[in-house]
């Protein structure tokens, strides 16, 4: 890595750390159907999610939707309001973020997989759900209209715009 790249990366992480945490339900275009029971994954890098299913899945190119329930993502949507091509409506999670990855399941003609953001307990001995939900209602309230919208209109996305949403959280 060059010194310029390293400095740019540090500056970008510094900017992300200054943005407020945003509780949200967002989307990715990757689902791991081999997962048979809930497991913890930690992201070694930034984890990009989008408010838009169409963006996160490249217009539902494959019928897979990762649903991220989080509390500490940094919403870049307002920062990218004047983007010259497309605002990816991105919510980014910082490196080292823990997620509980649940088994995939079918919903409304797509395969969905829920990722719940996890936080380390104060004593450092366990992980707790960052945004506990009592039911599926808050997820469905976001997922159903977003899925309808993604099916209703195809977005003109620049080549590679969705790539950051289509990779596994590892």
């Amino acid at each position: 890595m060059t010194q310029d790249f390293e400095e740019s990366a540090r500056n970008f992480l510094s900017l992300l750390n200054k943005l407020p945490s945003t509780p949200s339900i967002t989307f990715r275009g990757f689902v791991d159907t081999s997962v048979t029971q809930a497991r913890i994954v930690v992201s070694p890098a930034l984890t990009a999610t989008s408010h838009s299913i169409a963006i996160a899945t490249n217009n539902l190119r494959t019928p897979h939707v990762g649903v991220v329930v989080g509390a500490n993502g940094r919403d870049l949507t307002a920062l990218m309001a004047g983007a010259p091509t497309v605002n990816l409506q991105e919510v980014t999670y910082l490196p080292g973020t823990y997620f509980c990855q649940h088994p995939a399941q079918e919903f409304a003609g797509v395969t969905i997989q829920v990722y719940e953001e996890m936080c380390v307990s104060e004593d450092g001995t366990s992980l707790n759900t960052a945004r506990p939900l009592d039911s599926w209602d808050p997820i469905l309230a976001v997922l159903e209209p977003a899925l309808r919208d993604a099916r209703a209109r195809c977005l003109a996305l620049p080549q590679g715009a969705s790539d950051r949403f289509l990779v596994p959280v590892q």
Side-chain angles (χ1 to χ4, degrees):
M1 281 192 260
T2 67
Q3 188 173 359
D4 288 341
F5 177 79
E6 288 175 10
E7 184 175 338
S8 293
R10 276 193 302 276
N11 289 339
F12 184 64
L13 282 173
S14 175
L15 169 68
L16 288 177
N17 278 308
K18 291 176 185 171
L19 294 175
S21 297
T22 304
S24 59
I25 296 171
T26 53
F27 308 102
R28 292 181 55 78
F30 181 83
V31 168
D32 184 350
T33 56
S34 71
V35 175
T36 58
Q37 59 185 5
R39 68 179 186 173
I40 301 297
V41 293
V42 62
S43 178
L46 295 173
T47 299
T49 68
S50 178
H51 290 289
S52 167
I53 287 178
I55 292 169
T57 64
N58 194 10
N59 290 307
L60 287 168
R61 184 175 59 201
T62 58
H64 297 145
V65 179
V67 180
V68 180
V69 179
N72 295 298
R74 297 338 197 249
D75 195 333
L76 305 179
T77 306
L79 292 176
M80 301 303 292
T85 54
V86 66
N87 184 339
L88 297 177
Q89 301 177 39
E90 187 170 334
V91 175
T92 296
Y93 291 85
L94 298 171
T97 300
Y98 290 91
F99 295 96
C100 180
Q101 180 184 34
H102 295 274
Q105 52 191 304
E106 298 302 311
F107 175 79
V110 296
T111 302
I112 65 165
Q113 185 165 50
V114 174
Y115 294 82
E116 290 181 283
E117 181 188 6
M118 306 298 285
C119 293
V120 178
S121 63
E122 285 187 27
D123 63 7
T125 61
S126 63
L127 292 171
N128 301 313
T129 306
R131 185 174 177 204
L133 299 177
D134 295 331
S135 72
W136 275 80
D137 292 346
I139 295 171
L140 296 177
V142 174
L143 177 61
E144 287 179 319
L147 191 54
R148 271 194 309 275
D149 186 52
R151 287 178 169 148
R153 61 185 177 106
C154 186
L155 298 178
L157 297 170
Q159 181 71 27
S162 296
D163 289 354
R164 64 164 76 36
F165 307 108
L166 299 171
V167 296
V169 175
Q170 300 187 42

